[in-house]
DNA sequence: TCAAAAGTGTTCGCTATACACCCATGG
DNA sequence: CCATGGGTGTATAGCGAACACTTTTGA
């Protein structure tokens, strides 16, 4: 029999962190899911997550889970909601502090665990374990809100990218279409991009210039009460 | 000795909800604080809150706490962050799921508990217990974010109000000044207010029309992809 | 009759949008 | 030389900021 060595006067819930990991494949926004190896919901897909250690904050816990799953250290994560329905886990009461992460897909390597992990495009995501369908819906909603004000989109692109790629990313996240030329003009006049001498060679026709996101310039503008709008 | 009748294989944190209760006195945004009667932080002010029951969601818990403190049922509350620093409570590990509430000050009555409660203007808030200073800062930040998109301000006003009062509220929340005439025009053309026949009699000079917030109209506009901006 | 506050209208400049046009490249 | 996609410029409409003016009321 298991040893139950932690005792409390009142019942305590379990606390976990779950992490919705977003990536961009050049066309579609994708999320990284892992297949559950044990009951409940064995064989169903879910977001990576796990119990919160007693000596770590939720943010530290989420970063740890993220690193175990993708090998990435210090990626961009954001807490967006805590899910606390008393029946969200059939075994016992589990409260989960949910984060979303924005990562560059190219830099992700397989996880430590043997667990099967896979990137799913948003419109291919199957029915998930627990309340993770709900968690995904809310993560998307919050990401879309946040991207209106902060340049979080750049976390999803490689360091060098064309404006076309940037546009495709924003279109994928917000599920809208922009006019190619207006998007181009707007980006150039915002002054938060640095144009490089290099061009992208993957184009079938004319080669496009590569850009880098200019953190310094962005911070300066933000200081002056500038607001990034889309 | 206390009876410790709940046993777990791994240590579990305690989980509480805390509620930042915002009100508007006609000039200043205020928060409702309660004075702590016991250690730690005895005599210091803090936000109302308490342990989450095992059969209630965090939202239910926050609403329960809010009702115990103000007598209000079903007020507007919004979860904005979960605070999980391992050392935020000196006694044991406590994770708190934080909400802010928007209430009409006129409708608030004293709490059930004998605990002393008081409304503080934002610039009069003393140094608070635990990490509640941080909680207040983040609550304000999130409220200011949210008010750019949703008509949450109306939760803080009585049912009938003048446009002047509405302006003072928005100025108090966002800590800015608007041009009286532009604010007036904007509000009238937004079509989310219903003008009443009555006028306010508290004015020293000319009497101002009273308005009501038009929920139905707002929902219609929102359906059409309308965005409330300030 | 004067001061203060409510209510209305007008002007100006910026920016989002729509779209025309030229350039470079590969077949 | 033509089709495709990259890069640049321009015209228009709508909206927000600034502000002049009129109306109402109490002292």
């Amino acid at each position: 029999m298991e040893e139950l060595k932690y005792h409390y006067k009142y019942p305590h819930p379990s606390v976990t962190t779950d992490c919705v990991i977003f990536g961009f494949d050049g066309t579609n926004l994708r999320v990284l899911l892992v297949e559950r190896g044990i009951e409940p919901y064995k064989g169903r897909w879910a977001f990576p997550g796990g119990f919160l250690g007693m000596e770590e904050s939720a943010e530290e816990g989420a970063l740890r889970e993220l690193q175990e799953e993708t090998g990435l250290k210090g990626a961009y994560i954001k807490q967006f909601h805590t899910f606390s329905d008393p029946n969200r886990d059939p075994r016992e009461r589990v409260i989960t502090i949910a984060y979303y992460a924005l990562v560059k897909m190219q830099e992700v390597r397989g996880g430590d665990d043997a667990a099967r992990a896979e990137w799913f495009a948003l419109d291919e995501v199957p029915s998930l374990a627990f309340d993770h369908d709900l968690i995904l819906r809310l993560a998307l909603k919050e990401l879309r809100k946040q991207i209106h004000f902060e340049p979080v989109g750049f976390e999803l692109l490689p360091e060098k990218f064309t404006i076309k790629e940037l546009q495709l990313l924003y279109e994928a996240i917000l599920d809208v279409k922009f006019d190619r030329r207006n998007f181009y003009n707007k980006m150039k006049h915002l002054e938060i991009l640095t144009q490089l001498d290099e061009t992208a060679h993957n184009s079938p026709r004319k080669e496009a210039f590569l850009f880098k996101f200019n953190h310094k310039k962005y911070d300066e503008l933000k200081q002056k009460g500038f607001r990034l709008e889309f």
Side-chain angles (χ1 to χ4, degrees), chain A:
Chain A
M1 186 193 161
E2 297 178 310
E3 213 183 333
L4 304 176
K5 48 182 183 168
Y6 295 93
H7 314 290
Y8 302 97
K9 191 176 173 189
Y10 300 104
H12 286 198
S14 287
V15 176
T16 64
T17 61
D18 283 315
C19 203
V20 180
I21 305 171
F22 286 110
F24 182 60
D25 66 5
T27 308
N28 290 299
L29 199 60
R30 291 182 177 267
V31 287
L32 188 63
L33 298 173
V34 294
E35 193 175 19
R36 284 184 61 79
I38 57 166
E39 293 292 348
Y41 297 104
K42 185 174 176 178
R44 294 274 282 278
W45 296 88
F47 295 114
F51 290 98
L52 184 62
M54 285 301 271
E55 303 300 331
E56 63 184 2
S57 68
E59 179 153 335
E60 287 161 356
L63 283 171
R64 176 178 51 75
E65 297 285 348
L66 182 66
Q67 194 193 334
E68 287 168 12
E69 196 56 50
T70 65
L72 296 174
K73 292 188 187 189
Y76 177 90
I77 64 168
K78 179 158 173 67
Q79 184 190 314
F80 67 94
H81 198 75
T82 296
F83 295 85
S84 61
D85 187 288
N87 303 117
R88 58 178 296 282
D89 189 311
R91 292 164 297 186
E92 56 163 341
R93 176 144 202 202
V94 180
I95 290 172
T96 194
I97 306 172
Y99 286 77
Y100 62 77
L102 304 179
V103 305
K104 309 183 200 306
M105 275 182 73
Q106 316 84 28
E107 297 178 1
V108 171
R109 61 161 178 75
D112 290 344
D113 340 1
R116 194 150 72 95
E118 215 169 285
W119 287 100
F120 286 80
L122 280 185
D123 54 7
E124 293 166 359
V125 172
S127 170
L128 303 175
F130 305 106
D131 55 353
H132 287 201
D133 291 325
L134 172 62
I135 291 178
L136 175 56
R137 271 205 305 281
L138 202 59
L140 250 181
K141 190 175 156 192
E142 293 299 317
L143 172 61
R144 284 174 177 161
K145 237 188 235 172
Q146 209 203 348
I147 206 173
H148 276 100
F149 300 107
E150 290 188 72
V152 284
F154 298 94
E155 303 288 341
L156 291 159
L157 289 173
E159 205 194 345
K160 303 170 182 180
F161 50 84
T162 64
I163 292 194
K164 172 92 177 175
E165 287 164 347
L166 183 61
Q167 181 181 348
L168 286 171
L169 171 61
Y170 273 85
E171 290 181 342
I173 293 177
L174 296 171
D175 195 24
V176 293
K177 291 288 172 198
F178 295 112
D179 180 274
R180 175 184 69 82
R181 297 156 292 184
N182 288 336
F183 190 87
Y184 200 98
N185 288 332
K186 180 166 185 176
M187 278 303 130
K188 290 217 75 168
H189 294 136
L190 270 179
E191 298 189 318
I192 56 171
L193 299 182
T194 306
Q195 182 167 345
L196 306 176
D197 289 333
E198 312 166 58
T199 51
H201 301 296
N202 51 354
S203 169
R205 299 288 173 189
K206 183 174 177 180
E207 294 182 343
F209 282 111
L210 287 169
F211 289 83
K212 279 169 73 176
F213 178 63
N214 190 334
H215 291 270
K216 191 184 284 184
K217 195 84 185 202
Y218 173 72
D219 289 339
E220 283 174 21
L221 287 171
K222 198 172 182 179
Q223 212 79 36
K224 296 181 194 163
F226 153 89
R227 221 170 70 173
L228 183 66
E229 275 287 357
F230 274 92

